[in-house]
Amino acid sequence: MLKFGIQQGLNVARLGLNEDQIITACVLADKTGYDSIWYMDHSNVPQWDKATVNDPWVMLSAIAAVTQRVELGTCVTDAVRRHPSNIALASITLDRVSHGRGTLGIGAGEAQNLKEFKIQWDKPVGRFEEQLQVIKLLYESSPSHRVNFKGEFYQLEEACLQAKSVRKPAPPIYMAAGAPRTLALCGKYGDGWIPIGYTPELYAEHVKSIKASMKENGRTDENFNYAVDIDVYFSEDAESAWAKMKNAVKVSLFKPEVLKVHGIQDIAGFDFKKYFTEYSMSNQEWIVKMREAAQTIPDDVARSSIGMGTPDDIIPVFEKFMKAGVNHFIVRFWGSGYFGSVDKFASTIMPYFKEQNNPRK
């Protein structure tokens, strides 16, 4: 089944929406037929100093209280700032207060949320895998079924949680992944995949990697959610909208995997590993370097990643992602009129796809 969700992320931070406005948008999404609502997990967004950045678990619980249908999840919590027992219990609690609509979105983390807080972040993928193992153990735990774990980063000794999720066997885990090791982890442990900053070509390549991992681990993707966090900018003038979004879109795509799949030459002297693991949004020198280097991505490649213009302009972009394997779109709306965009997408684009994918048609 094809799903559509909305993301309360950098887009609402950029707009400066407050808590009441965000909750109002979520109520609108619930009433107009969206399937899911996602909330970013950042400590800050210093590039927009007037934005308010809240805790996602608290906000999602508030959203759960005023919605009825939509699934609710983090997009995404990182596997460093919180102990896995905290993440496991938070996701179970969200599922309980929402009566079975809770979802855990989780990734290995990024320097932006860690460096200035002096949080240790060595071996992030190793930590990420142990987090997943511990969370899954704790999902199964109870006072009568205590669990043990001895890893390099985390240990449990006769540990348990004392709440069970409504969803069985546990809240689904969507994983942010984009490198070979994390894609393999997604195929091994995940119930869904939730990448950001992708073209259809890169998406199709990484679907192959996840499926290969699933096969290796004796799993199938029958109920797997192949999601994508995708930007949408409604405008009667697509070229004008592109001029406003161009630089930001290219920055979001500036990663080795995009360059490789599209045959774009690496930028001499730019160290991606250092940028993503050692530097953060407070390092202006690296921000400038990255933004300048990102502009080497051709316009046609960058535009393939974003739905922009009228509904007739946007629908073909979504169709290309569907051919690449997407079955769950998580939309970040940009531009003015946020509430209008939420409603317009629900009344124009969602009906088109639901009719196209109607098995009775």
Side-chain angles (χ1 to χ4, degrees):
M1 181 184 76
L2 187 64
K3 294 181 179 180
F4 295 94
I6 62 169
Q7 160 76 294
Q8 309 300 303
L10 295 176
N11 54 334
V12 297
R14 177 71 179 85
L15 288 170
L17 300 188
N18 63 31
E19 298 80 8
D20 290 340
Q21 290 170 317
I22 290 170
I23 289 172
T24 299
C26 293
V27 171
L28 176 62
D30 188 51
K31 290 181 177 179
T32 52
Y34 287 86
D35 301 288
S36 62
I37 290 171
W38 303 79
Y39 208 100
M40 76 172 180
D41 190 357
H42 276 248
S43 300
N44 53 54
V45 285
Q47 64 270 44
W48 301 312
D49 59 4
K50 297 190 183 303
T52 299
V53 181
N54 288 308
D55 180 89
W57 297 105
V58 177
M59 284 297 297
L60 285 167
S61 292
I63 294 164
V66 294
T67 56
Q68 301 295 323
R69 303 174 42 262
V70 285
E71 296 178 78
L72 303 167
T74 47
C75 186
V76 295
T77 285
D78 67 63
V80 181
R81 284 180 292 146
R82 296 176 173 90
H83 191 275
S85 62
N86 176 271
I87 294 175
L89 186 56
S91 55
I92 289 172
T93 304
L94 175 63
D95 190 60
R96 291 175 67 87
V97 300
S98 66
H99 305 292
R101 295 183 283 133
T103 300
L104 170 59
I106 188 169
E110 59 183 322
Q112 179 176 343
N113 292 307
L114 304 168
K115 182 173 179 283
E116 288 80 8
F117 298 97
K118 303 301 179 184
I119 297 173
Q120 188 175 1
W121 196 40
D122 59 314
K123 301 181 181 178
V125 180
R127 290 179 184 274
F128 186 26
E129 180 165 20
E130 285 194 13
Q131 277 251 359
L132 295 166
Q133 293 169 338
V134 170
I135 288 168
K136 282 180 169 286
L137 274 175
L138 289 171
Y139 278 163
E140 299 168 0
S141 72
S142 69
S144 60
H145 177 60
R146 295 176 179 271
V147 295
N148 297 281
F149 183 84
K150 189 171 184 179
E152 181 180 356
F153 307 102
Y154 301 103
Q155 291 82 41
L156 301 175
E157 184 176 343
E158 294 295 302
C160 73
L161 298 179
Q162 219 164 320
K164 288 292 185 182
S165 62
V166 176
R167 302 179 98 170
K168 301 302 179 189
I173 298 176
Y174 283 59
M175 294 169 58
R181 287 179 64 194
T182 53
L183 290 167
L185 292 180
C186 190
K188 185 176 182 179
Y189 298 108
D191 303 297
W193 176 42
I194 186 169
I196 187 170
Y198 266 60
T199 63
E201 290 81 2
L202 180 60
Y203 198 94
E205 283 298 306
H206 284 185
V207 165
K208 294 176 186 176
S209 298
I210 292 171
K211 288 187 175 183
S213 175
M214 285 183 171
K215 184 176 181 180
E216 183 179 327
N217 288 282
R219 304 182 68 202
T220 69
D221 67 349
E222 182 179 358
N223 297 310
F224 191 84
N225 276 259
Y226 289 101
V228 68
D229 198 328
I230 186 170
D231 295 322
V232 166
Y233 190 122
F234 281 115
S235 173
E236 292 303 314
D237 183 351
E239 295 306 315
S240 175
W242 174 239
K244 295 176 182 177
M245 293 293 292
K246 178 178 178 177
N247 291 348
V249 171
K250 290 188 177 185
V251 165
S252 73
L253 291 173
F254 190 56
K255 59 189 77 170
E257 297 83 7
V258 169
L259 301 186
K260 181 179 179 181
V261 80
H262 288 282
I264 302 168
Q265 187 174 358
D266 285 346
I267 309 304
F270 194 91
D271 189 327
F272 279 101
K273 184 175 180 180
K274 277 192 172 184
Y275 179 75
F276 288 114
T277 61
E278 296 182 20
Y279 301 97
S280 63
M281 293 304 295
S282 62
N283 188 308
Q284 290 298 318
E285 181 183 352
W286 272 83
I287 293 171
V288 171
K289 284 182 180 179
M290 184 263 287
R291 287 177 176 168
E292 289 176 350
Q295 301 315 308
T296 61
I297 297 174
D299 280 14
D300 61 331
V301 171
R303 289 185 73 156
S304 72
S305 72
I306 179 173
M308 190 170 48
T310 67
D312 286 342
D313 296 320
I314 293 168
I315 284 170
V317 176
F318 277 64
E319 289 176 327
K320 288 179 181 177
F321 273 105
M322 288 174 64
K323 288 179 181 177
V326 174
N327 59 21
H328 193 161
F329 289 99
I330 299 169
V331 183
R332 294 194 306 181
F333 292 107
W334 296 90
S336 59
Y338 183 65
F339 301 104
S341 294
V342 172
D343 187 59
K344 186 173 184 176
F345 189 92
S347 63
T348 57
I349 293 175
M350 281 166 49
Y352 171 86
F353 283 108
K354 293 194 175 183
E355 179 63 20
Q356 293 293 311
N357 292 276
N358 186 345
R360 295 173 296 176
K361 184 178 177 182

